[in-house]
Amino acid sequence: MKTGIITKVAGPLVIADGMRDANMFDVVRVSEQNLIGEIIEMHGERASIQVYEETSGLGPGEKVESTGAPLSVELGPGLIGAIYDGIQRPLNEIMKVAGTNLTRGVNVPSLDHSKKWKFTPTVKAGDKVESGDVLGTVQETSAVLHKILVPNKVRGTVEKIGEGEFTLDDIVASIKDEKETIDVKMFTTWPVRVGRPYKKKLSPDILLTTGQRPIDTLFPLAKGGVAAVPGPFGSGKTVVQHQLAKWAAADIIVYIGCGERGNEMTDVLNEFPELKDPRTGNSLMERTVLIANTSDMPVAAREASIYTGITIAEYFRDMGYTVALMADSTSRWAEALREMSGRLEEMPGEEGYPAYLGSRLAQFYERAGRVIVNGSEDTEGALSVIGAVSPPGGDISEPVSQATLRIVKVFWGLDANLAYKRHFPAINWLTSYSLYTDQLEDWFKENAAPDFMELRGRLMSLLQDESELEEIVNLVGMDALSAGDRLKLESARSIREDYLHQNAFDPTDTYTSLKKQVLMMRAILSYYDKALYALNKGADIELLVNIPVRERIGRYKYEPEDKVESEFESISAQLDSEIEDVLKRSDD
């Protein structure tokens, strides 16, 4: 231990002298209470430490001890279903030790080292292995097969390997390399600020299907992609993230509440165990890791929670899983950076945020990606990151939103006006975008429909036309529009209300397969094309707007997946028949 003396305490920032032998980002224990901190700046023997626990009552003269190791997380069986704070302390275990209040200086191991896990080897003595190869597996939950990997920078021959029940501290395998024999346990530690290595990064050209129509169709997210969900209070950020956690085509979910209000995080903690996993029918917690770092916890721990979460996510990615990480919300983390920067008396950037805000956000988001993981086989893993941003008053011109938009490739802008109209998800189709659309074009052609991008383009075009026509309507009224423009408005309304509006709480509408999305688009555009044809033949616009089949098109989203094709055929037949009737009546 390298010991120093506190000379100054300013909120979560502690200055200590005499730390000659300590290094940047070393974890330290502050005072007799053993508060956890991390060195974030060194000037000679003087260290600036951000403390991840409440510092009230600390004063100059108390000791600081450096552990000589960076802030690290424990990775191994027992992560799934756990609820951690920002520095990977299990909240359930802390409650057993300290009661319902999070007391200072509590030191509880992140994983349960006394529990026995059934280890099944996948290699045998004499096999040659390298870093990232699977040594064996542990069935952690019904949904997750936990793979025990050869540690980083280790390669050689398996000398011995066990089978049966072991604790995390037991040695399950020994690997002999050129110099020594390395003993392997079922858990490992990893410094949170260092990205875990991989062989190769792949192009983001596979869709991360979510079953959410506005996302999959208009603003798709690729596997290994990064997305931002900015929006004001009450616009539905949390529900969007819940929907993605439940329905996205991901094997593992890591949900970070980095500085959200306590009641919002309480909702997550109450709802996630009750959410039914559509894949297994069991609780969604059987493939979820939660990091609950609420806004009443120490400010500095918000930064740690971000890095803790993404390190856990990378660990499961290295097993070859598709991982989705939700960070709610990165604005709270940025506010913590601003506070620490102010206390360090650094030169402020825009609105008081540190000048390095953009690079810190980039360091976080760039750890996402679809990759070939380490190992002798070319196994693919993916880590997608969805970060919610909470700009004050929904103003996305503020620095956190702008810095995030410069990094991410998908922007799902939530709109307060849509939310007030009860249009959910409140993703504004005129301001949102996805830069993955072109890369995903071939994937959509092969896996959804050959003309998927054409259908999507026509939907966007009608919504754009509606926006321009509404300005005219607001100025001079609906009567000033031509019949063709009126039909455009009606078709765009159908896109908005029947396609883009999706009820997260309806058992059928909560998820829409790509096949159903294609048929829904076809139904709406088929109405527009056939009505336009009839209009050009002299049909009455009032009759075309009010044909009964439109109600069926609107209700089509509530049709179960096994009946969508037959219902589409039926709607198409009724549409043809009713358009013919309108044409006959117009001729008469």
Side-chain angles (χ1 to χ4, degrees), residues 538-540 542-544 546-548 578-588:
D540 182 0
E542 287 296 333
L543 294 175
L544 288 170
N546 293 306
I547 56 176
E578 288 179 4
I579 292 285
E580 291 238 346
D581 285 350
V582 169
L583 281 169
K584 279 180 192 167
R585 288 166 70 183
S586 301
D587 289 343
D588 295 344

Side-chain angles (χ1 to χ4, degrees), residues 299-314:
V299 166
R302 296 179 189 178
E303 182 172 21
S305 67
I306 285 280
Y307 291 118
T308 298
I310 200 147
T311 306
I312 292 170
E314 285 178 330

Side-chain angles (χ1 to χ4, degrees), residues 515-573:
K515 181 175 85 171
K516 186 174 174 183
Q517 290 183 38
V518 169
L519 293 174
M520 286 177 73
M521 285 194 281
R522 288 200 205 287
I524 293 167
L525 292 171
S526 183
Y527 161 75
Y528 174 70
D529 290 341
K530 286 171 181 174
L532 187 63
Y533 169 79
L535 202 60
N536 292 335
K537 291 281 186 184
D540 182 0
I541 183 67
E542 287 296 333
L543 294 175
L544 288 170
V545 165
N546 293 306
I547 56 176
V549 75
R550 290 196 66 204
E551 192 177 331
R552 272 188 83 184
I553 293 172
R555 285 203 309 266
Y556 186 36
K557 60 184 173 186
Y558 300 112
E559 209 61 42
E561 292 283 344
D562 57 344
K563 295 182 180 171
V564 290
E565 286 184 346
S566 58
E567 179 66 8
F568 176 75
E569 299 297 332
S570 175
I571 286 173
S572 298

Side-chain angles (χ1 to χ4, degrees), residues 350-369:
E350 194 181 350
E351 288 188 26
Y353 287 101
Y356 49 76
L357 172 68
S359 71
R360 286 287 175 87
L361 286 167
Q363 282 167 16
F364 167 64
Y365 282 110
E366 73 182 3
R367 286 170 73 170

